[in-house]
Amino acid sequence: MKSHPPRTATTPSTDTTTDTATAQNPAAVPGQLRRALAAEPTAHSPLARGLGAPTDTWSIDGSDLVVEGWSSAPDLFAVRDPNRRLLGWIEALGDGWGAYIQGRLIIDATDGDPWLSTDAPHAVALLRAARNQQLT
C-alpha cells in the first residue's frame, strides 16, 4: 500500500470551490465533500484523560465556539458549542494539528490521509467546517 504524506489544510471552507479557484491556489481545500472522518476512533476525549478542569479558555472570532485548554497538556484543546456540549477536539500530531470528532480524525475523503492544520486556531476552523458539513 502506497503511503502518502498527511495533507496540510490551509484554508478550510464550507463554501464550494471551483476548479479555477483551486488551480489558482492549489493549496486551497475544496469544500466539495473532500473531508471525512476516519473509520475508527483512535483518540480519547480530553474529558476522559483525567486532566481536571481546563485552565485556559478562548473563543474563535466570528464563531460561538469555545476552546478549552490545560496547562498540563499544551498540545490538546477541547472545542465546545455555546451550550458547553463537546463538539470535538484538536491535538498536535507530528508537524501539525489534527482535529477529531468523537475520537475520529478528520481525513481527506479521497485518499484517507489526515488533514493537518498549521496551528491550533486553524485546526479549530477545520473542525468547525467538518461539523458544518455534518461529518458525524
Side-chain angles (χ1 to χ4, degrees):
M1 176 182 229
K2 184 177 178 183
S3 176
H4 299 282
R7 300 262 186 228
T8 300
T10 56
T11 53
S13 170
T14 56
D15 299 331
T16 303
T17 304
T18 64
D19 292 337
T20 304
T22 303
Q24 292 171 350
N25 181 6
V29 178
Q32 301 172 335
L33 301 176
R34 293 284 316 267
R35 291 172 295 272
L37 293 178
E40 297 293 325
T42 57
H44 297 289
S45 162
L47 309 179
R49 297 184 194 192
L51 299 170
T55 55
D56 187 29
T57 302
W58 45 281
S59 59
I60 302 299
D61 290 337
S63 171
D64 56 2
L65 298 181
V66 175
V67 182
E68 299 174 335
W70 295 264
S71 58
S72 62
D75 58 352
L76 177 68
F77 296 95
V79 181
R80 295 182 180 268
D81 71 10
N83 297 320
R84 302 230 355 106
R85 185 176 69 115
L86 182 67
L87 296 179
W89 63 92
I90 61 168
E91 189 167 3
L93 296 174
D95 291 336
W97 287 79
Y100 292 86
I101 296 174
Q102 298 175 349
R104 298 165 58 196
L105 184 62
I106 298 173
I107 62 172
D108 185 297
T110 305
D111 59 21
D113 288 341
W115 281 111
L116 296 182
S117 297
T118 55
D119 57 29
H122 191 267
V124 172
L126 179 63
L127 179 90
R128 182 178 172 200
R131 290 299 294 203
N132 289 344
Q133 193 178 312
Q134 299 179 348
L135 294 181
T136 57

